[in-house]
Short mmCIF file of all heavy atoms in Angstrom, two decimals:
data_model
loop_
_atom_site.label_atom_id
_atom_site.label_comp_id
_atom_site.label_asym_id
_atom_site.label_seq_id
_atom_site.Cartn_x
_atom_site.Cartn_y
_atom_site.Cartn_z
N THR A 904 -1.82 -9.53 -7.71
CA THR A 904 -1.55 -10.03 -6.36
C THR A 904 -0.08 -10.39 -6.18
O THR A 904 0.53 -10.07 -5.16
CB THR A 904 -2.44 -11.25 -6.06
OG1 THR A 904 -3.81 -10.88 -6.19
CG2 THR A 904 -2.20 -11.78 -4.65
N LEU A 905 0.48 -11.06 -7.18
CA LEU A 905 1.90 -11.44 -7.11
C LEU A 905 2.80 -10.21 -7.10
O LEU A 905 3.77 -10.15 -6.33
CB LEU A 905 2.25 -12.33 -8.30
CG LEU A 905 1.74 -13.77 -8.24
CD1 LEU A 905 1.89 -14.46 -9.59
CD2 LEU A 905 2.46 -14.57 -7.16
N GLN A 906 2.50 -9.24 -7.93
CA GLN A 906 3.30 -8.01 -7.97
C GLN A 906 3.26 -7.29 -6.64
O GLN A 906 4.27 -6.78 -6.16
CB GLN A 906 2.81 -7.10 -9.10
CG GLN A 906 3.16 -7.61 -10.49
CD GLN A 906 2.53 -6.78 -11.60
OE1 GLN A 906 1.47 -6.17 -11.41
NE2 GLN A 906 3.15 -6.75 -12.75
N ASP A 907 2.07 -7.26 -6.04
CA ASP A 907 1.91 -6.62 -4.74
C ASP A 907 2.69 -7.36 -3.67
O ASP A 907 3.37 -6.75 -2.84
CB ASP A 907 0.43 -6.57 -4.38
CG ASP A 907 0.18 -5.88 -3.04
OD1 ASP A 907 0.48 -4.69 -2.93
OD2 ASP A 907 -0.32 -6.55 -2.11
N ARG A 908 2.63 -8.70 -3.69
CA ARG A 908 3.36 -9.50 -2.69
C ARG A 908 4.86 -9.37 -2.87
O ARG A 908 5.61 -9.26 -1.88
CB ARG A 908 2.92 -10.97 -2.80
CG ARG A 908 3.49 -11.83 -1.67
CD ARG A 908 2.67 -13.07 -1.44
NE ARG A 908 2.72 -13.99 -2.55
CZ ARG A 908 1.66 -14.55 -3.10
NH1 ARG A 908 0.45 -14.26 -2.65
NH2 ARG A 908 1.78 -15.40 -4.10
N ILE A 909 5.33 -9.35 -4.10
CA ILE A 909 6.76 -9.19 -4.36
C ILE A 909 7.24 -7.83 -3.86
O ILE A 909 8.30 -7.72 -3.24
CB ILE A 909 7.05 -9.34 -5.88
CG1 ILE A 909 6.87 -10.81 -6.30
CG2 ILE A 909 8.48 -8.89 -6.20
CD1 ILE A 909 6.87 -11.02 -7.79
N ALA A 910 6.44 -6.79 -4.12
CA ALA A 910 6.80 -5.44 -3.67
C ALA A 910 6.91 -5.38 -2.14
O ALA A 910 7.81 -4.73 -1.59
CB ALA A 910 5.78 -4.43 -4.17
N LYS A 911 5.99 -6.07 -1.47
CA LYS A 911 5.98 -6.05 0.00
C LYS A 911 7.13 -6.86 0.60
O LYS A 911 7.38 -6.75 1.81
CB LYS A 911 4.64 -6.58 0.51
CG LYS A 911 3.48 -5.62 0.28
CD LYS A 911 2.16 -6.22 0.69
CE LYS A 911 1.02 -5.22 0.48
NZ LYS A 911 -0.31 -5.82 0.77
N LYS A 912 7.80 -7.66 -0.21
CA LYS A 912 8.93 -8.45 0.29
C LYS A 912 10.26 -7.71 0.18
O LYS A 912 11.29 -8.21 0.64
CB LYS A 912 9.00 -9.78 -0.46
CG LYS A 912 7.88 -10.75 -0.07
CD LYS A 912 8.03 -12.12 -0.70
CE LYS A 912 6.98 -13.07 -0.16
NZ LYS A 912 7.12 -14.44 -0.69
N SER A 913 10.23 -6.53 -0.41
CA SER A 913 11.42 -5.67 -0.45
C SER A 913 11.08 -4.40 0.31
O SER A 913 10.35 -3.54 -0.19
CB SER A 913 11.81 -5.35 -1.90
OG SER A 913 12.27 -6.50 -2.57
N ILE A 914 11.61 -4.27 1.52
CA ILE A 914 11.28 -3.13 2.37
C ILE A 914 12.35 -2.07 2.20
O ILE A 914 13.52 -2.28 2.53
CB ILE A 914 11.15 -3.55 3.85
CG1 ILE A 914 9.98 -4.53 4.02
CG2 ILE A 914 10.91 -2.35 4.73
CD1 ILE A 914 10.30 -5.97 3.83
N LYS A 915 11.92 -0.94 1.64
CA LYS A 915 12.84 0.16 1.35
C LYS A 915 12.45 1.40 2.14
O LYS A 915 11.29 1.58 2.52
CB LYS A 915 12.81 0.48 -0.15
CG LYS A 915 13.18 -0.70 -1.04
CD LYS A 915 13.04 -0.35 -2.52
CE LYS A 915 13.35 -1.55 -3.41
NZ LYS A 915 13.17 -1.23 -4.84
N VAL A 916 13.44 2.25 2.37
CA VAL A 916 13.17 3.52 3.06
C VAL A 916 13.81 4.65 2.26
O VAL A 916 14.70 4.42 1.42
CB VAL A 916 13.72 3.52 4.50
CG1 VAL A 916 13.08 2.41 5.32
CG2 VAL A 916 15.24 3.39 4.51
N LYS A 917 13.38 5.86 2.53
CA LYS A 917 13.95 7.03 1.87
C LYS A 917 14.27 8.08 2.93
O LYS A 917 13.38 8.63 3.57
CB LYS A 917 12.96 7.59 0.85
CG LYS A 917 13.52 8.77 0.04
CD LYS A 917 12.53 9.24 -1.00
CE LYS A 917 13.11 10.39 -1.81
NZ LYS A 917 12.13 10.87 -2.83
N ASN A 918 15.56 8.31 3.10
CA ASN A 918 16.04 9.31 4.05
C ASN A 918 15.43 9.15 5.44
O ASN A 918 14.90 10.10 6.01
CB ASN A 918 15.76 10.73 3.52
CG ASN A 918 16.56 11.06 2.28
OD1 ASN A 918 17.69 10.61 2.12
ND2 ASN A 918 15.98 11.83 1.39
N LYS A 919 15.51 7.95 5.96
CA LYS A 919 14.99 7.68 7.30
C LYS A 919 16.12 7.13 8.18
O LYS A 919 16.98 6.38 7.72
CB LYS A 919 13.84 6.67 7.25
CG LYS A 919 12.58 7.23 6.60
CD LYS A 919 11.95 8.33 7.41
CE LYS A 919 10.64 8.81 6.83
NZ LYS A 919 10.77 9.56 5.58
#
Side-chain angles (χ1 to χ4, degrees):
T904 301
L905 286 168
Q906 288 173 332
D907 181 63
R908 187 157 67 229
I909 290 169
K911 288 175 179 176
K912 288 186 174 183
S913 292
I914 296 88
K915 302 176 182 178
V916 300
K917 184 177 181 181
N918 293 327
K919 291 293 185 289

